[in-house]
Amino acid sequence: MATSSIPFPSLHHRNLDTPITFRQRRPTGVHLIKATKDSIPPLSATSADTATTTTTTSTATNLPLRPIPGSYGIPFYQPLKDRFEYFYGPGGRDEYFKSRVHKYQSTVFRANMPPGPFISNNPNVVVLLDAKSFPTLFDVSKVEKKDLFTGTYMPSTELTGGHRVLSYLDPSEPKHGPLKNMVFFMLKSSIRRVLPEFETTYNELFDGLESELAQKGKALFNDAGEQAAFRFLGRAYLETNPEETKIGKDGPKLISTWVLFNLGPLLRLGLPWFVEEPLLHTFRLPPALIKKNYNKLYEFFESFSSPIIKHAESLGISKEEAVHNILFTICFNTFGGIKILFPNTLKWIGRAGTNLHTQLAAEIRGAIKNHGGKVTMAAMEQMPLMKSVVYESLRIEPPVALQYGKAKRDLTIESHDAIFKVKEGEMLFGYQPFATKDPKVFDRPEEFVPDRFVGAGEELLKYVTWSNGPETEGPTVGNKQCAGKDFVVLITRLFVVELFRRYDSFDIEVAASPLGAKVTLTSLKRARL
């Protein structure tokens, strides 16, 4: 197993003081939740600096060599047609891919990916949809990741102060290593603050949700959750509560608007197609419209990131470039990931019902009691069901949906059923939710199985690739796997832990959202201690 280059091993889920083995089990009372077509999130950027070498096994001994099926059709016309089907066709994105798998009888095929005209000059991609072919996108010896964070187009650098930030750099580029090391330093320097600041911030969140629920009979999680997320990140990374600075409570709103200008060509806002097409998918939104908002974010991070900036300068990174990268890492990658991941995790646990809630509450409280009543890394390692629930949420609804890479040379790519040849320079594309629900890897792939990764099930973690790399591997300066992969896993575990320290159970309502799920709490049942 590859080891993380993050110099604080407590962020890596595999680093245990004492190995613990758990017997595989299936709680008989846990409800199994089936994924629906509207549960798959659009692109997120939590793990945008992603890709490692793959651990998927490859045995190309008797597979047939097959030409890649599909075609790109008539230029301009076919990309527009494909874009319309992708965004507005029956069944949405899932059906767009499923229909082509059925048509070509292959999980590898040629297609056009949005946005196409007039934003993307070349929408042609080779689609990789199964767990065997998909990891090709992680291997930076085979694919180039330069300017491919958002796919077949790159947002204007005017949205990032004129800089190509870390997410858009290939590991072969000179600035990639220093910038990723800066992010590792930022993670390392925050480690002692993460647990106490998370507990403080999310107790504030739950206090507020309880108050709203008492007054209105329901409480919307997303808005309050985003405020809490930005507050926590400011406290953990910068030792500052942003709400006590000039930025006040505007942070999440400023970030969301800026993200829209970056990702608009890939999003659906639920507007009529004749509004969304010219507004989002045909022409770029002018960066000048949000320059003032972006500058507010920049000034905040410039003011409160001095230790990180100082370290960046020691690595040869200018102050200005460092601040733009700190902003992107915290706002786009980390905040953007929490914005999607926490509501989705809450949704799946909420839908699973009281049996799972009871088991999680007992496990979490028992482990905390055994460690002096405190949440510690050691205590969390004694919560196998909680950890499995987090990984299952990442598997069934990964926060990063789309992955791209350009072939560095002529390649041989294997699916489960065939071998395909790809030419140097061809664009490869993977739709993450299909790879992480591959029925040839996962039993009951469309169901939320809470203890899927308990005991012997841990062997399947190499197929949980939400971070643009296997969960069993770690980020390094030489790959594109998410620098904060282990941080994201840690705080998602903390979210589940704090939830069941406080509550025995809860009820929710779920609605669609452009990013992730919109969750409304309809009841919170306080712990019976």
Side-chain angles (χ1 to χ4, degrees):
M1 183 184 80
T3 57
S4 172
S5 65
I6 298 178
F8 45 103
S10 57
L11 279 191
H12 202 288
H13 77 280
R14 294 295 229 175
N15 184 38
L16 309 182
D17 295 330
T18 304
I20 301 173
T21 303
F22 300 98
R23 189 175 63 185
Q24 180 70 17
R25 57 186 175 82
R26 286 273 184 258
T28 56
V30 172
H31 296 288
L32 301 179
I33 308 302
K34 190 170 184 179
T36 57
K37 64 185 179 183
D38 63 351
S39 70
I40 308 295
L43 179 71
S44 150
T46 312
S47 332
D49 312 328
T50 50
T52 85
T53 55
T54 173
T55 59
T56 304
T57 56
S58 177
T59 54
T61 54
N62 57 359
L63 295 175
L65 179 63
R66 181 182 178 190
I68 301 174
S71 70
Y72 302 126
I74 301 171
F76 192 82
Y77 167 76
Q78 190 62 42
L80 287 178
K81 183 174 182 294
D82 286 351
R83 183 171 83 194
F84 199 90
E85 291 180 12
Y86 177 88
F87 284 119
Y88 312 107
R93 293 190 301 179
D94 274 16
E95 190 56 37
Y96 176 86
F97 294 114
K98 285 179 181 177
S99 63
R100 284 156 176 76
V101 169
H102 179 75
K103 177 180 179 180
Y104 302 127
Q105 292 297 295
S106 175
T107 52
V108 177
F109 54 85
R110 299 186 186 279
N112 296 292
M113 279 299 295
F118 294 94
I119 296 174
S120 171
N121 292 329
N122 184 3
N124 304 160
V125 300
V126 176
V127 180
L128 313 177
L129 293 183
D130 60 87
K132 194 171 185 180
S133 63
F134 185 86
T136 304
L137 292 159
F138 310 150
D139 191 339
V140 293
S141 71
K142 295 180 179 179
V143 298
E144 181 185 74
K145 307 292 280 189
K146 182 178 180 180
D147 297 338
L148 299 181
F149 174 53
T150 43
T152 60
Y153 81 102
M154 178 180 170
S156 170
T157 55
E158 291 181 50
L159 294 166
T160 49
H163 295 275
R164 290 173 58 238
V165 294
L166 176 61
S167 292
Y168 291 99
L169 300 181
D170 186 78
S172 64
E173 297 184 75
K175 287 186 177 180
H176 181 273
L179 285 171
K180 199 160 188 180
N181 272 325
M182 181 194 75
V183 178
F184 288 153
F185 172 83
M186 185 168 70
L187 288 161
K188 177 184 177 181
S189 63
S190 70
I191 186 58
R192 295 191 179 186
R193 297 187 293 272
V194 171
L195 269 64
E197 295 295 0
F198 195 95
E199 181 177 347
T200 296
T201 302
Y202 280 81
N203 273 323
E204 294 168 352
L205 169 65
F206 292 134
D207 284 343
L209 291 171
E210 283 186 25
S211 177
E212 184 180 352
L213 191 60
Q215 293 175 17
K216 301 179 181 179
K218 60 183 179 180
L220 179 62
F221 175 80
N222 296 61
D223 291 344
E226 289 171 24
Q227 287 288 346
F230 193 57
R231 190 161 67 246
F232 160 69
L233 293 173
R235 287 168 166 171
Y237 282 134
L238 313 178
E239 299 185 76
T240 301
N241 181 351
E243 295 174 9
E244 297 172 355
T245 70
K246 290 181 180 179
I247 208 167
K249 292 189 175 183
D250 291 338
K253 180 178 66 177
L254 296 174
I255 295 169
S256 295
T257 304
W258 171 64
V259 169
L260 173 64
F261 274 63
N262 281 270
L263 295 183
L266 300 178
L267 297 180
R268 275 226 63 193
L269 300 182
L271 302 173
W273 71 266
F274 53 83
V275 176
E276 282 195 343
E277 280 302 289
L279 178 65
L280 295 179
H281 305 149
T282 305
F283 303 102
R284 297 172 186 259
L285 294 169
L289 294 179
I290 60 162
K291 185 174 182 179
K292 184 177 180 181
N293 287 354
Y294 184 79
N295 286 342
K296 289 181 181 178
L297 289 169
Y298 181 91
E299 290 168 5
F300 168 74
F301 285 101
E302 181 184 34
S303 299
F304 297 101
S305 303
S306 295
I308 307 169
I309 295 169
K310 184 178 180 180
H311 184 76
E313 289 175 331
S314 75
L315 297 172
I317 303 167
S318 71
K319 175 182 177 180
E320 181 183 340
E321 186 166 19
V323 175
H324 287 296
N325 275 275
I326 294 166
L327 189 162
F328 196 94
T329 298
I330 293 178
C331 294
F332 202 118
N333 297 37
T334 312
F335 175 84
I338 295 173
K339 178 185 175 77
I340 293 174
L341 185 55
F342 280 20
N344 285 350
T345 302
L346 191 64
K347 176 186 75 175
W348 289 110
I349 295 174
R351 285 179 170 177
T354 56
N355 254 347
L356 176 61
H357 300 177
T358 300
Q359 292 175 60
L360 284 169
E363 178 185 82
I364 289 167
R365 294 171 199 171
I368 293 172
K369 183 179 179 180
N370 291 339
H371 287 80
K374 295 181 180 180
V375 178
T376 63
M377 296 297 295
M380 288 198 294
E381 291 300 343
Q382 294 182 3
M383 303 175 189
L385 180 60
M386 177 277 291
K387 291 196 294 181
S388 179
V389 163
V390 169
Y391 288 130
E392 181 69 346
S393 296
L394 288 164
R395 179 199 72 85
I396 199 166
E397 199 163 13
V400 180
L402 315 180
Q403 298 286 358
Y404 288 86
K406 184 177 290 186
K408 288 185 174 180
R409 59 180 187 273
D410 291 355
L411 298 177
T412 297
I413 295 178
E414 298 174 39
S415 70
H416 291 302
D417 304 311
I419 300 172
F420 303 89
K421 298 289 187 180
V422 172
K423 294 183 179 179
E424 179 181 355
E426 288 198 87
M427 184 75 77
L428 307 180
F429 161 80
Y431 183 52
Q432 181 93 5
F434 273 42
T436 57
K437 291 189 286 188
D438 188 332
K440 293 191 177 181
V441 172
F442 293 103
D443 181 38
R444 295 173 291 167
E446 300 290 334
E447 297 175 359
F448 180 77
V449 181
D451 66 343
R452 186 185 295 276
F453 300 105
V454 172
E458 285 191 84
E459 291 298 317
L460 292 171
L461 285 176
K462 61 177 174 282
Y463 300 107
V464 178
T465 54
W466 67 274
S467 63
N468 201 350
E471 185 57 38
T472 49
E473 296 186 5
T476 70
V477 294
N479 65 26
K480 289 297 289 180
Q481 190 165 28
C482 173
K485 173 182 81 89
D486 299 326
F487 178 83
V488 171
V489 172
L490 171 61
I491 62 175
T492 308
R493 290 179 183 177
L494 286 172
F495 176 67
V496 179
V497 167
E498 293 300 334
L499 181 66
F500 285 103
R501 283 181 81 186
R502 187 167 179 133
Y503 304 108
D504 285 334
S505 188
F506 61 92
D507 295 303
I508 58 170
E509 295 174 350
V510 180
S513 169
L515 290 172
K518 183 178 179 180
V519 177
T520 301
L521 292 159
T522 57
S523 76
L524 288 167
K525 300 177 179 65
R526 269 284 199 170
R528 299 185 296 274
L529 300 178

